[in-house]
Amino acid sequence: MFRIFIAALTLLASPALAQVDIREVTSPGGITAWLVEDHSIPFVALDIRFAGGTNLEEPDTRGAIHLMTGLLEEGAGDLDSREFAAAAESLATYFSFDAYRDSVVITAQMLTQNRDEAADLMRLALVEPTFEDTAIERVRNQVFSIIASDANDPDEIAGDVLYAQTFGDHPYATALEGTEESVAALTRDDLVTAHRNVLTRGNVIVGASGDITPEDLGRLLDHILGDLPETGATPPGDAPYNLTGGITVVDYPSPQSTALFGHRGIERDDPEFFPAFLLNQILGGGNFRSRLMTEIREERGLTYGISTFLILFDHGPMMLGQFSSSNELVAEAIDVLRQEWADVAENGVSAVELEAAQRFLTGAYPLRFTGNENIAGILAGMQIDNMPIDYINTRNDNVMAVTLEDIRQVARRLLDPEGLHVVVVGQPEGLETTP
């Protein structure tokens, strides 16, 4: 599947447990974090996010932040890549380093007894990466493999085409991994610049959960992050929105076609976000009760599955969906999709559909709140989208407060049958590109 950071899933999958105690911690050096303190097991998880992500890189060095992130554990301080890996293994410590369009995410899981040593190792990775030539070439070749694989993946092709059509010259328009040409041209200096642009104290957000006190967390964060620069690159402005209604067919030899469809979305801080969230769940939210699943799969057998989702890009949110169908059936599936999109836009949804969606979303809510690593990620996700600290204790109330009229209003505003664009990758019968 084409790579997208679906913030809604992170932000709206936090727990429904009553009165979760989240504490805001400010370190002596001024770094803020949210903490759920739990001393039941000797273990702590950190989720550190640097806002801006791959969108902060230089325009002519696309792929630099993605490549740089992949190199953070490939040698740091006086440790080469093997020595770094061996040190982490000896401490029973787990790190991950991932780049996304709007953030770079660093996670760590460490035992209490090894916490200080693990923090030393994490600090080396973030503050003193070596970017050795051999490591650069090794990871660069891994990126080449990803790019080559994506070039033959219908889901990735569809995403690349739709984003390019939508976002013009904004970074969202191009793959965060870069192109083979742009990655091949990257130098060590480009990676150093990418590191300086994105890994800064001024754009860091931290979630923590587990066996640690606020005082110890503050000292830990100052040690890990305190030597990073305060500021980095200026974030890009809002992305242009150039997508219009129609169909784009990308010829690809396959017995089935992949379809990616969508249009402009809604901001997370929009007053109508929760009605939009419920609307998406009812229309195509990924379970067998959704309107599109019922009409396109169950009633007509045109696909094995179809889903829609809200993409909460910081600078250009979208509402997207996808399905696959045999080449001879995809045109009919798109016709039904457009009919249902228009029907919900005009008529809203039924009371039965709303009640089922509310019951599912509130009932499934606590199931996501398991494990310190999940909790830390939820806390960081809440902060990066400017959510209130009491969100997890009020979320279900917000879901249940949505009415049929709320759904009708946001459906009329958000769903745009004339603006719906479908990218089809395959050899669909009876379809061709339209303006």
Side-chain angles (χ1 to χ4, degrees), residues 54 57 61-74 97-100 104 129 131-144 146-147 175-180 182-192 194-195 198:
T54 65
E57 64 198 3
T61 59
R62 191 60 169 158
I65 289 177
H66 177 264
L67 179 58
M68 178 276 296
T69 305
L71 285 160
L72 292 177
E73 58 182 335
E74 295 292 331
F97 303 84
D98 297 291
Y100 301 95
V104 168
F131 300 131
E132 295 177 348
D133 289 341
T134 54
I136 291 173
E137 294 313 311
R138 182 174 61 254
V139 177
R140 193 198 308 265
N141 286 329
Q142 293 171 2
V143 175
F144 285 152
I146 294 171
I147 293 171
L176 59 86
E177 298 90 352
T179 65
E180 187 172 349
S182 69
V183 173
L186 292 173
T187 67
R188 185 180 186 281
D189 287 344
D190 293 328
L191 301 178
V192 171
H195 179 271
V198 69

Side-chain angles (χ1 to χ4, degrees), residues 395-431:
R395 180 268 197 183
N396 275 359
D397 291 338
N398 288 324
V399 170
M400 294 306 298
V402 174
T403 67
L404 282 175
E405 183 56 31
D406 294 333
I407 298 283
R408 290 190 185 96
Q409 289 182 7
V410 79
R412 294 188 189 106
R413 170 191 163 194
L414 181 60
L415 298 185
D416 181 9
E418 297 303 315
L420 188 65
H421 195 97
V422 187
V423 175
V424 182
V425 180
Q427 295 178 329
E429 297 179 10
L431 281 180

Side-chain angles (χ1 to χ4, degrees), residues 354-419:
L354 176 57
E355 180 183 357
Q358 290 172 320
R359 185 168 59 249
F360 173 80
L361 290 173
T362 55
Y365 193 39
L367 303 180
R368 306 297 183 94
F369 197 43
T370 56
N372 285 328
E373 63 275 18
N374 290 340
I375 297 168
I378 289 163
L379 300 182
M382 289 166 60
Q383 293 173 81
I384 209 164
D385 274 85
N386 298 313
M387 299 166 70
I389 200 167
D390 66 346
Y391 170 79
I392 62 174
N393 296 318
T394 61
R395 180 268 197 183
N396 275 359
D397 291 338
N398 288 324
V399 170
M400 294 306 298
V402 174
T403 67
L404 282 175
E405 183 56 31
D406 294 333
I407 298 283
R408 290 190 185 96
Q409 289 182 7
V410 79
R412 294 188 189 106
R413 170 191 163 194
L414 181 60
L415 298 185
D416 181 9
E418 297 303 315

Side-chain angles (χ1 to χ4, degrees), residues 274-407:
F274 270 99
F277 176 56
L278 268 293
L279 171 65
N280 174 73
Q281 180 67 26
I282 293 166
L283 183 61
N287 61 53
F288 283 93
R289 294 181 178 179
S290 74
R291 177 78 68 92
L292 294 178
M293 186 73 85
T294 299
E295 295 298 327
I296 297 177
R297 173 184 162 142
E298 299 299 316
E299 295 295 328
R300 296 171 175 84
L302 301 176
T303 183
Y304 283 111
I306 183 170
S307 59
T308 61
F309 29 86
L310 300 175
I311 307 298
L312 301 183
F313 285 153
D314 289 349
H315 307 288
M318 298 191 74
M319 183 173 186
L320 298 181
Q322 62 181 23
F323 69 92
S324 295
S325 186
S326 62
N327 286 329
E328 64 271 19
L329 295 178
V330 66
E332 182 181 356
I334 291 173
D335 284 343
V336 178
L337 165 67
R338 292 190 180 280
Q339 291 168 19
E340 293 303 318
W341 210 266
D343 179 66
V344 176
E346 181 178 355
N347 301 311
V349 301
S350 71
V352 172
E353 289 174 315
L354 176 57
E355 180 183 357
Q358 290 172 320
R359 185 168 59 249
F360 173 80
L361 290 173
T362 55
Y365 193 39
L367 303 180
R368 306 297 183 94
F369 197 43
T370 56
N372 285 328
E373 63 275 18
N374 290 340
I375 297 168
I378 289 163
L379 300 182
M382 289 166 60
Q383 293 173 81
I384 209 164
D385 274 85
N386 298 313
M387 299 166 70
I389 200 167
D390 66 346
Y391 170 79
I392 62 174
N393 296 318
T394 61
R395 180 268 197 183
N396 275 359
D397 291 338
N398 288 324
V399 170
M400 294 306 298
V402 174
T403 67
L404 282 175
E405 183 56 31
D406 294 333
I407 298 283

Side-chain angles (χ1 to χ4, degrees), residues 145-321:
S145 296
I146 294 171
I147 293 171
S149 176
D150 289 351
N152 292 287
D153 184 329
D155 290 333
E156 295 289 342
I157 294 169
D160 289 346
V161 169
L162 187 136
Y163 288 167
Q165 291 176 331
T166 304
F167 294 121
D169 59 358
H170 193 276
Y172 287 153
T174 57
L176 59 86
E177 298 90 352
T179 65
E180 187 172 349
E181 294 76 15
S182 69
V183 173
L186 292 173
T187 67
R188 185 180 186 281
D189 287 344
D190 293 328
L191 301 178
V192 171
T193 298
H195 179 271
R196 185 175 62 246
N197 280 347
V198 69
L199 300 189
T200 68
R201 295 194 309 276
N203 65 349
V204 72
I205 288 167
V206 180
S209 179
D211 183 30
I212 192 167
T213 66
E215 294 75 20
D216 286 343
L217 177 61
R219 287 190 291 269
L220 194 76
L221 294 178
D222 280 348
H223 178 59
I224 295 172
L225 304 170
D227 291 327
L228 290 173
E230 177 62 30
T231 60
T234 301
D238 286 345
Y241 185 85
N242 301 322
L243 195 64
T244 59
I247 294 175
T248 299
V249 176
V250 180
D251 183 68
Y252 184 84
S254 173
Q256 72 172 16
S257 292
T258 293
L260 175 66
F261 56 90
H263 54 50
R264 192 188 300 270
I266 189 169
E267 301 279 356
R268 176 59 188 84
D269 59 358
D270 191 288
E272 290 191 305
F273 179 80
F274 270 99
F277 176 56
L278 268 293
L279 171 65
N280 174 73
Q281 180 67 26
I282 293 166
L283 183 61
N287 61 53
F288 283 93
R289 294 181 178 179
S290 74
R291 177 78 68 92
L292 294 178
M293 186 73 85
T294 299
E295 295 298 327
I296 297 177
R297 173 184 162 142
E298 299 299 316
E299 295 295 328
R300 296 171 175 84
L302 301 176
T303 183
Y304 283 111
I306 183 170
S307 59
T308 61
F309 29 86
L310 300 175
I311 307 298
L312 301 183
F313 285 153
D314 289 349
H315 307 288
M318 298 191 74
M319 183 173 186
L320 298 181

